[in-house]
Amino acid sequence: MSDRILGGAGLALACFYIWAATIIPDSFMADAVGPRTFPIIIGAIIIICSVVFILRPDPEPQWPAISNLLEIAGAVAVMAVYAKLLPELGFVISTVFATTYLTWRLGSPILGSIITGVATSVGIYVVFRLILGLSLARGPLGF
Amino acid sequence: METLSSLADGFAIAFTLQNLFLALVGCFLGTLMGALPGLGPANGVAILIPIAFTLGLGPTPSLILLTSVYYGAMYGGRISSILLNIPGDEPAMMTCLDGYPMAQKGMAGEALSLSGIASFVGAFFATWGLVLLAPQLVKIALLFGPAEYFALFTLAFATLGGITSTNQAKSAFAAMLGIGIAMVGVDSQTGVQRFTFGELHLYDGIDFLIAIVGLFALSEVFIFLENHRGGAVGNEKAMQIGRLVPKLSVLKYCVPTMFRSTIIGFISGILPGAGASLGSFLSYSLEKQVVDRDGETFGKGDPRGVVAPEVGNNAASGGALVPMLALGVPGSGTTAVLLAVLLALNVTPGPLLFTNSPDIVWGLIAALFIANFMLLALNIPLVGIFTRVLLIPTRILMPVVAMISFVGIYGISGSTFDLELMIGFGVLGWVLRKLDVPLVPIILGILLGNEMEVNLRRALTISDGDWSILLGSPLAIGIWIFAIIGFALPIVLGQRMKRRMRNAASAAAADIKD
């Protein structure tokens, strides 16, 4: 079933892709092939592959239980918030939060997670900013 | 002769204090990353590319750093195979078969240093193979026109799934997804926007570094989260390594094994669609056929069973560099990531690289030799330190991997959009892994998609729109035939090969339990 869904998604994606390819505007510079042909070929091959998925699906993969799926969703959400807050709060503060969360969810006790979070954040800051001179996100406090 | 003098020039470039230091750091980090299960060579190199890039290192130093990581990871993969029976990366799977039984007999230290020496031999001679073969291949490649190149790219995609691929439709799907992503942005030939939908961030296309780090490193973090695998992979008891230096007599009777396995490994490295996993598998199987026909010692801790796959695997990773450097077409996952390194540094591999910037090529090759010696020197005495990393719990390690990925990508452009895109690729990578869709063709598609299209369009511009030019020369027809065979063969043989590899592994595992 999963493969059939993948095939369906592939079909939808390919159709959208081919449609998006056909609306690519023409340019004053032109060559024999033009900017549309190659993407349309790609879309066509995706359609063929998707049909194969639908007709001959592989055995069902091991999907995680709902709770573990939520685990991943949670991590994605935290990472997305992290990406948004990085320029606002600066590297060190946001990283403490993100690392603490991930470490906690991978099974550390709360206190241990906080310590790991602080240590990771400060450690990366020291190595990459102070020693290697990489530019990290700067917050209101300058780090 | 010319080759040797170029190589000498290469050594002159590589022998600066900074480059030697970078090689040392790369070897050390690479071995660590190779040792950790889940963080194979491709992952290790992937998270370091953006960092080397933002550090502002020049092309040659960055290459030296990252190829040292690549070779180091190949060495490191064996450590957890031998001590814990968990392969650090896929090619190290075969090393488990005899390495773990040796460790159980209390010969872990010997197995580790033997495999270290084996890795050295394989990689060292394969690097010589690279020196001798790559310039010859370049001569052929200089005859290639756009039509031949287009066929060559097709060949690379058709064979990437490899002989063990069980579902070619999924490999093809992944490759097309990658090429499709590469199309986003300004069309280099006509200057029109494609698939950008007015989103400013997409005008320059999607940066392949973002895709690589997301697909490889972040999806790995998700896999760990899903399984709540937060503990350490190792335990104190398994870390007893005992006597380190193998007996000279043992070494001596491993020499023929090393010789045979180097050749097999190197050849499977060069061939498209084979790569390091197949190299180690073939070396092990052949060795078993040759020296242990009755199946008495192999699988029960025969040193030759440790040496063969390690030599094969490392020789293959050297061999895989031949098509990557000479043609610009990588044949395996890790070399695809190395191609990304080159492209990130604005170096386009291929025949012209050898004529236009010999300093980069030969500096790189010299660095490979240096890295080999360093790895040998690091690995034998320091193996105790490397085994310690297996005690780090993954609940600490994986968040660090995630954060370093963020640091690297943020360093490129400082944009939140890029980070969000990376997270998106991470989720995509996780879903596709679940569905058994290979990720490497996606990466290769993103890396080579534009180049492939450009060659197609150039060929058709030359022929004034006549598509038959794609089959216009014997060379092109030959490449097309190889591509078709390479794509069709796994459909017939893939299941069988995969089953044989799995049977070999599980038979050995059953022996261990007895």
Side-chain angles (χ1 to χ4, degrees), chain B residues 225-408:
Chain B
L225 268 169
E226 174 200 339
N227 299 322
H228 294 280
R229 285 190 300 178
V233 285
N235 53 60
E236 279 292 342
K237 205 177 128 272
M239 298 297 144
Q240 303 296 333
I241 50 178
R243 177 194 159 97
L244 258 181
V245 186
K247 289 193 198 80
L248 212 61
S249 57
V250 175
L251 259 182
K252 214 179 259 169
Y253 83 76
C254 287
V255 168
T257 304
M258 291 185 182
F259 181 73
R260 285 188 288 264
S261 304
T262 303
I263 295 172
I264 295 180
F266 185 68
I267 294 173
S268 30
I270 301 174
L271 288 180
S277 307
L278 198 74
S280 63
F281 172 69
L282 287 180
S283 311
Y284 185 87
S285 319
L286 180 93
E287 216 38 48
K288 198 172 165 179
Q289 293 284 324
V290 171
V291 299
D292 182 37
R293 226 168 261 211
D294 310 320
E296 280 171 2
T297 52
F298 267 54
K300 302 192 177 81
D302 190 317
R304 287 168 298 189
V306 176
V307 168
E310 275 306 308
V311 173
N313 150 13
N314 284 276
S317 51
L321 291 174
V322 175
M324 202 277 274
L325 283 175
L327 303 174
V329 177
S332 71
T334 331
T335 38
V337 178
L338 279 181
L339 176 69
V341 177
L342 290 165
L343 294 176
L345 298 163
N346 267 331
V347 177
T348 315
L352 291 178
L353 184 64
F354 280 75
T355 40
N356 293 348
S357 27
D359 51 323
I360 294 181
V361 179
W362 294 105
L364 168 67
I365 293 174
L368 292 177
F369 278 113
I370 295 170
N372 260 316
F373 280 101
M374 281 183 172
L375 281 165
L376 185 66
L378 274 177
N379 262 277
I380 307 278
L382 294 186
V383 77
I385 297 180
F386 292 126
T387 57
R388 295 273 130 190
V389 299
L390 296 173
L391 296 174
I392 303 175
T394 47
R395 61 175 178 272
I396 293 176
L397 195 79
M398 288 329 274
V400 174
V401 170
M403 290 305 130
I404 292 180
S405 308
F406 275 96
V407 167

Side-chain angles (χ1 to χ4, degrees), chain A residues 2 8 11 14 22 25 28-29 54 60-62 64 68 70 72 76-77 80 83 96 104 108 119 123 126-127 129 137:
Chain A
S2 299
L11 280 182
T22 55
F28 61 93
M29 289 184 287
I54 292 172
E60 195 66 6
Q62 279 254 312
N68 291 342
L70 285 177
I72 291 175
V76 171
V96 169
W104 173 54
S108 288
V126 169
V127 172
R129 177 84 197 100

Side-chain angles (χ1 to χ4, degrees), chain A residues 3 17 27 31 35 84 108, chain B residues 170 180 190 194 395 420 457:
Chain A
D3 266 21
Y17 196 79
S27 158
D31 59 349
K84 274 266 180 276
S108 288
Chain B
K170 283 186 175 168
T190 57
R194 296 197 288 183
R395 61 175 178 272
E420 286 163 352
R457 286 164 74 172

Side-chain angles (χ1 to χ4, degrees), chain B residues 84-104:
Chain B
L84 304 166
N85 204 18
I86 306 169
D89 50 19
E90 204 195 329
M93 202 169 83
M94 304 308 289
T95 314
C96 293
L97 302 185
D98 276 277
Y100 186 62
M102 266 185 93
Q104 290 206 310

